[in-house]
Amino acid sequence: MTPDVFADLVGQDEAVDTLRRAAAAAAAVLRAGAADRTPALIAAGTAEASGGDSMPPGADPGAGMTHAWIFTGPPGSGRSVAARAFAAALQCVHGTGCGECPGCHTTRAGTHADVRLVVPEGLSIGVGEMRALVLRAASTPSGGRWQVVVIEDADRLTEAAGNALLKAIEEPPPRTVFLLCAPSTHPDDVSVTIRSRCRVVPLRQPPAAAVAEVLVRRDGIAPDVAQWAAAAAQGHVGRARRLARDPEARNRREAVLAVPRRLSGVGAAFDAASALIEAAEAEAEASVAEADTTERAALETALGAGGTGRGAAGAMRGAAGQLKELEKRQKSRATRAQRDALDRALVDLAGFYRDALTMALRAPVAPVHTDTAALAGAGAQKWDAEGALRRLEAVLACRVAIEANVKPRIAVEAMMLALWKG
Ligand SMILES: [Zn+2]
């Protein structure tokens, strides 16, 4: 039996249950619409989202299908996996997300005509992009089911883009469904008004055993490697897969975990800060370099760069503007990739000090990093629980500072000094 579309949602039984029931309710709405030939209205899942909708016969009001959803959870918990699985279930010809029918297949492959996926590449999603999206989402679904719009990183909407989206969510076309993904429903991530129109599906950090299980089953990774990677990735499924498969990702992690024993003085602390920043820059550069080159070549070809004929000078002036626009987009993507790489390193480092803390407290929990457990144990003896906690807090404060736009180098230097001084 082929696993259904929810099989990749690791350790999220409650959320999967909610989504299965909603998909069944959505299918009932379509059946009711087909039976009485009136436009189907969606049964509201929450009182505040009900608006003026009336319930079509056959839909289960308690099962809750609604126009707008927010998937929340920590990084790696599978927000976008959940949103895409639900999109597939909505397009599934059986209304279940069977994983086998054309609706499921095309949605998962990203080729379904009625599913639009917004993946912001830079630091924010702009208003122009959002307006165009909302406009297209209002059209009648060509496959006769739903128009689904998935917005990954809805926390990166600009305020204007958020307002454009809000208008669409406030007066949704009858067959349009918005699926937003965000770390939380905190007002910093999603505006209160958007939140009030959406049903929330909270995802939790999946347990390491569940992550290891999916690495073995889906990716064919050896069980012992899968278990190590799942623990080291701290519940981040994609990160666990990278650690299990990519030797460079393992090397970078090892370099980060070498930081605590290198902090022998002020100079060493500054050196460690530089090394961490430069490693994040190098990793980010590697991750975007290929896309940058391909995009630039494609644009230059499209613009006919190097033309010498009449009118070429004028065309080149227009081309310069477009190249500038591309460079701006690429720079924004590079900045985001750098922040993501640095944040991953900080999460690894936090795991180390967490291990030292739990050991100092003799808490009966498995270490995050089994391979540096001895070193963490030595730290626990030297620093005690309080010293380990102060260091853990210094790492977390650095993450918060960078999130709040403190220059990464300054935040990391302050952190390294705090880690050294304790
Ligand atoms: Zn299906």
Side-chain angles (χ1 to χ4, degrees), residues 5 88 91-105:
V5 295
Q91 304 297 7
C92 174
V93 299
H94 306 295
T96 57
C98 67
E100 289 177 329
C101 73
C104 285
H105 263 301

Side-chain angles (χ1 to χ4, degrees), residues 139-329:
S139 58
T140 307
S142 60
R145 299 188 70 88
W146 307 97
Q147 281 282 5
V148 184
V149 179
V150 180
I151 302 175
E152 287 193 10
D153 300 315
D155 52 310
R156 286 173 167 141
L157 292 172
T158 61
E159 198 186 335
N163 288 338
L165 175 64
L166 179 62
K167 270 195 209 118
I169 292 179
E170 277 177 336
E171 288 168 36
R175 292 287 189 87
T176 304
V177 181
F178 291 94
L179 308 179
L180 318 185
C181 308
S184 76
T185 53
H186 189 278
D188 283 352
D189 287 341
V190 179
S191 81
V192 175
T193 41
I194 288 183
R195 155 75 189 87
S196 73
R197 299 277 168 175
C198 293
R199 189 163 168 201
V200 179
V201 180
L203 303 171
R204 58 187 186 132
Q205 181 171 311
V211 176
E213 190 270 327
V214 80
L215 292 186
V216 173
R217 174 172 55 78
R218 188 187 52 196
D219 304 314
I221 289 162
D224 55 333
V225 177
Q227 270 161 27
W228 167 82
Q234 305 180 60
H236 191 306
V237 184
R239 169 95 174 126
R241 190 181 310 124
R242 260 197 308 281
L243 282 175
R245 283 182 155 176
D246 178 4
E248 281 195 29
R250 285 199 290 275
N251 290 343
R252 281 193 294 267
R253 171 181 169 278
E254 270 171 33
V256 169
L257 291 177
V259 163
R261 65 171 171 256
R262 289 211 180 133
L263 295 173
S264 53
V266 178
F270 279 101
D271 287 348
S274 284
L276 200 66
I277 296 279
E278 279 151 27
E281 282 171 357
E283 184 184 345
E285 206 169 294
S287 76
V288 299
E290 197 178 324
D292 282 1
T293 314
T294 316
E295 281 171 4
R296 194 180 171 98
L299 182 59
E300 280 174 350
T301 309
L303 295 172
T308 50
R310 243 186 318 155
M316 279 314 285
R317 275 195 296 278
Q322 291 195 42
L323 279 172
K324 213 170 191 164
E325 189 55 39
L326 177 69
E327 276 164 15
K328 205 173 110 194
R329 244 188 4 254

Side-chain angles (χ1 to χ4, degrees), residues 21 30 38-39 103 118 134 149 182 185 189-190 233 255-256 263 286 300 329 332 346-347 351 413:
R21 270 181 300 162
L30 294 181
T38 56
V118 185
V134 162
V149 179
T185 53
D189 287 341
V190 179
V256 169
L263 295 173
E300 280 174 350
R329 244 188 4 254
S332 149
L346 292 173
V347 168
E413 283 172 354

